[in-house]
Amino acid sequence: MNNGQKRSPRAVVLFGPPGSGKGTQAKLLTERTGFPQISTGDMLREHVQAGDEIGREVAKLMHAGSLVPDELVNALVKQRVARPDCRDGFILDGYPRTQQQAERLGVLLEGRGIDQVVIHLVVDYNKVIARLSGRRQCPVCGTLYNVLSRPPKQADVCDLDGAGLVIREDDSEAVIRERLEEYERQTRPVLEYFHSAGRRLYEVDAGREVPPVVCERIYKLIENGG
Ligand code: AMP
């Protein structure tokens, strides 16, 4: 497809509200492209789990559904993309979420000669709430399920490794509301910034088709823009 020429590495930014399918699409795209998934939410949850300094700083904010400080996530992403598995490209899931983060990402990628493509996953809010409140996750392999749209074969048990599924603490109703408000307040406006900064930005309807079909559409967009 690239006629043997080495192409620039690519950063695929998956953008959209909580519950728009960023994590699901990131996992499918990782299989499709070989690019690693970089989920700032997963990285932060690992710190909380470990109970280290970063974990202690962010736990309260995360449990309340608020964003954590820009400087902290910027530093995590900067370190992560410097690792060798990001050489050809990577998938950003849940970053950037503020204009400051988007600006810092722009500088970081330019400095490394990495092309950026933003995929805006568009899903109606009622669907987002149904997805988040029905979400279950395997604590061992990270596979995501939904009690309505993607139930495991046996209730509350992971199909792949038999572990008991868990509900994320921030998937409770009050916290879901706060996360969506944070999205409206701080994250949605970043779309305007992407436009004004001239980023390659595509909107993808992520509410109608099953995830593999949505993934294929994204794959075509990032491969050849059409
Ligand atoms: P997620 O798994 O992407 O829904 O993220 C879970 C939580 O982690 C969010 O509600 C925030 O508290 C925090 N978080 C994840 N990514 C970011 C980010 N880029 N900026 C600020 N906070 C973040």
Side-chain angles (χ1 to χ4, degrees):
M1 195 169 279
N2 60 12
N3 303 325
Q5 279 167 3
K6 181 122 181 68
R7 59 190 301 174
S8 308
R10 269 157 309 154
V12 180
V13 173
L14 294 178
F15 191 92
S20 56
K22 298 187 297 293
T24 300
Q25 288 304 324
K27 287 189 174 61
L28 292 171
L29 282 168
T30 287
E31 284 169 23
R32 192 74 171 83
T33 59
F35 295 168
Q37 168 188 12
I38 301 180
S39 157
T40 42
D42 285 349
M43 289 161 90
L44 293 165
R45 276 185 290 278
E46 278 167 23
H47 283 286
V48 172
Q49 205 100 52
D52 59 19
E53 202 183 322
I54 293 179
R56 286 196 299 277
E57 184 181 341
V58 300
K60 265 211 187 111
L61 290 166
M62 290 178 75
H63 290 164
S66 310
L67 295 186
V68 313
D70 287 336
E71 289 310 325
L72 200 149
V73 273
N74 288 337
L76 287 178
V77 170
K78 189 174 176 184
Q79 277 172 12
R80 179 65 188 86
V81 306
R83 289 193 3 208
D85 61 339
C86 292
R87 207 179 303 118
D88 296 332
F90 47 87
I91 296 155
L92 289 167
D93 156 13
Y95 179 91
R97 263 170 148 109
T98 65
Q99 178 165 336
Q100 203 269 8
Q101 292 177 20
E103 288 171 359
R104 286 288 291 276
L105 178 68
V107 173
L108 176 69
L109 298 181
E110 251 165 57
R112 294 179 153 261
I114 300 172
D115 291 339
Q116 183 175 170
V117 50
V118 183
I119 305 291
H120 176 200
L121 300 174
V122 181
V123 185
D124 138 335
Y125 260 39
N126 290 331
K127 204 161 235 168
V128 155
I129 291 166
R131 279 184 183 175
L132 291 172
S133 48
R135 186 153 78 172
R136 302 288 182 275
Q137 187 165 28
C138 174
V140 177
C141 67
T143 301
L144 291 164
Y145 297 88
N146 189 287
V147 291
L148 297 175
S149 57
R150 192 184 174 226
K153 292 196 185 86
Q154 189 187 334
D156 293 327
V157 175
C158 180
D159 293 347
L160 304 181
D161 55 31
L165 302 181
V166 296
I167 301 177
R168 267 173 51 171
E169 279 190 52
D170 58 353
D171 279 344
S172 73
E173 210 180 306
V175 183
I176 288 172
R177 202 171 318 119
E178 178 56 26
R179 287 164 65 207
L180 291 173
E181 280 173 22
E182 274 293 63
Y183 178 78
E184 288 302 326
R185 256 192 315 262
Q186 303 212 56
T187 307
R188 188 190 286 281
V190 179
L191 284 170
E192 284 307 312
Y193 169 76
F194 285 141
H195 276 296
S196 64
R199 298 269 179 270
R200 244 175 96 197
L201 168 68
Y202 300 106
E203 292 211 333
V204 171
D205 180 344
R208 255 184 276 272
E209 307 280 7
V210 292
V213 173
V214 176
C215 174
E216 211 41 46
R217 169 117 185 79
I218 298 173
Y219 182 74
K220 289 211 176 86
L221 289 169
I222 60 182
E223 276 303 300
N224 41 39

